Amino acid sequence: MTAADAGTAVVVFARAPEPGAVKTRLAPLLGPKGAAALHARLVKRTLATARATAFRSIWLYGTPGTDDAFLRLCAAQFRAGLAAQAGGDLGARMLAAFASALADHPRVLLLGTDCPALTARHLRDADRALRDGADASFIPCEDGGYALIGLARVDARLFDGIAWGGETVMSETRSRLRELGWSWRELETLWDVDRPEDYQRLLASGLLDGHHATV
């Protein structure tokens, strides 16, 4: 990553929409291709949300690698830089992304693509918390994880040994923050799309019908 400006960077973590490799818990309902198609729509929605903010530095961190045609198309469409996620578990990959981005920017917001309820306002609020002096900011999820983490500094202890994908991610993270002596702010709790009941909630919400939720 190179410094595009001295402001906040937004990093979007996304996996290439390969059938059978994404949204696997929705495959019994949608089929592998349908689940991959939904994942692709969520990736685009998340990038549109990031682009709807005033932040100029938007980065798409892809896996596996940056050779996937869909990820390249998304980076071009949404005027985002494209980089490869590091190896290791989710914590190791996030740590590497934050270390890289914070070398060039004073604040970094990192988000996945599973939370269509996330809006540009949420991103701006998370950034404002960092601007106001918090070391970290979060958008928690109802399943016990978080949809967004914002940092003004980074420490490996925030990510090492977390049971990623489980219901204790946010509670474990709070414990790490207390151990580090960091200040943090948690914003509105949202929901993500992983299971069939989440998909039904998504359909009922109308969030994929347009871009009204990105403003």
Side-chain angles (χ1 to χ4, degrees):
M1 176 179 291
T2 57
D5 57 68
T8 302
V10 179
V11 171
V12 176
F13 264 30
R15 179 174 290 277
E18 302 170 3
V22 294
K23 289 282 175 278
T24 54
R25 283 182 282 183
L26 287 174
L29 177 68
L30 303 176
K33 290 185 178 179
L38 173 63
H39 174 75
R41 292 184 70 183
L42 292 173
V43 171
K44 286 191 171 185
R45 179 182 176 82
T46 303
L47 287 166
T49 298
R51 184 45 67 194
T53 68
F55 307 130
R56 288 182 290 169
S57 185
I58 310 293
W59 282 83
L60 175 59
Y61 271 58
T63 186
T66 57
D67 292 333
D68 179 77
F70 172 79
L71 296 180
R72 287 185 172 275
L73 178 65
C74 284
Q77 179 179 352
F78 295 100
R79 306 187 309 282
L82 183 61
Q85 293 181 29
D89 68 3
L90 179 59
R93 288 181 276 131
M94 289 199 292
L95 174 63
F98 271 116
S100 175
L102 284 169
D104 294 325
H105 300 83
R107 296 167 301 279
V108 176
L109 307 178
L110 189 151
L111 52 152
T113 60
D114 293 336
C115 184
L118 193 69
T119 70
R121 175 181 60 82
H122 291 118
L123 271 68
R124 289 192 291 266
D125 287 347
D127 178 60
R128 188 174 301 112
L130 299 178
R131 289 176 181 268
D132 288 345
D135 296 307
S137 59
F138 296 88
I139 305 276
C141 281
E142 293 176 359
D143 64 3
Y146 50 78
L148 177 151
I149 172 174
L151 295 180
R153 57 198 294 198
V154 67
D155 191 298
R157 288 171 287 178
L158 197 60
F159 302 105
D160 287 346
I162 300 289
W164 302 108
E167 61 185 19
T168 62
V169 170
M170 193 66 233
S171 61
E172 289 183 70
T173 301
R174 292 187 191 103
S175 296
R176 304 298 178 83
L177 290 162
R178 286 190 287 268
E179 291 170 5
L180 288 167
W182 286 13
S183 63
W184 77 93
R185 173 137 179 242
E186 295 180 32
L187 305 174
E188 176 185 4
T189 298
L190 300 178
W191 52 280
D192 54 19
V193 179
D194 285 319
R195 303 159 298 175
E197 54 266 39
D198 301 325
Y199 179 69
Q200 299 302 328
R201 186 175 181 177
L202 176 62
L203 292 181
S205 73
L207 289 174
L208 286 185
D209 294 339
H211 295 296
H212 61 277
T214 64
V215 297

